[in-house]
Amino acid sequence: MDLWLIVKERYMLLSVLLIITIISLLLLCAIWKNRSEIPRSLIVLIILICIVIIVLSILALMFSISFGYNS
């Protein structure tokens, strides 16, 4: 099946996952720039949570493109 056709069929799910990934990346960049003002343990916790969210979103994107749901 053509990749463009798959993206057109599942654009809502893909857009939600992309928005979650972008927001996590923006939060990660913001925390990284202001890390001198925030306690170290909170920085580590936020970075770990953001990395987990980004990895899970990318895996969900790959799963939805490659396997997806029955249409």
Side-chain angles (χ1 to χ4, degrees), residues 53-70:
I53 290 172
I54 290 168
V55 168
L56 288 176
S57 295
I58 291 173
L59 288 174
L61 276 168
M62 291 188 330
F63 180 78
S64 67
I65 288 175
S66 60
F67 299 112
Y69 48 85
N70 296 331

Side-chain angles (χ1 to χ4, degrees), residues 23-39:
I23 289 173
S24 296
L25 284 172
L26 289 174
L27 179 63
L28 192 62
C29 290
I31 290 298
W32 191 257
K33 286 187 177 186
N34 296 327
R35 65 181 183 262
S36 62
E37 303 168 5
I38 304 172

Side-chain angles (χ1 to χ4, degrees), residues 18-52:
L18 281 174
I19 289 170
I20 290 171
T21 305
I22 291 170
I23 289 173
S24 296
L25 284 172
L26 289 174
L27 179 63
L28 192 62
C29 290
I31 290 298
W32 191 257
K33 286 187 177 186
N34 296 327
R35 65 181 183 262
S36 62
E37 303 168 5
I38 304 172
R40 188 166 178 83
S41 61
L42 184 61
I43 291 174
V44 171
L45 182 66
I46 292 173
I47 288 174
L48 286 175
I49 290 172
C50 283
I51 289 173
V52 167

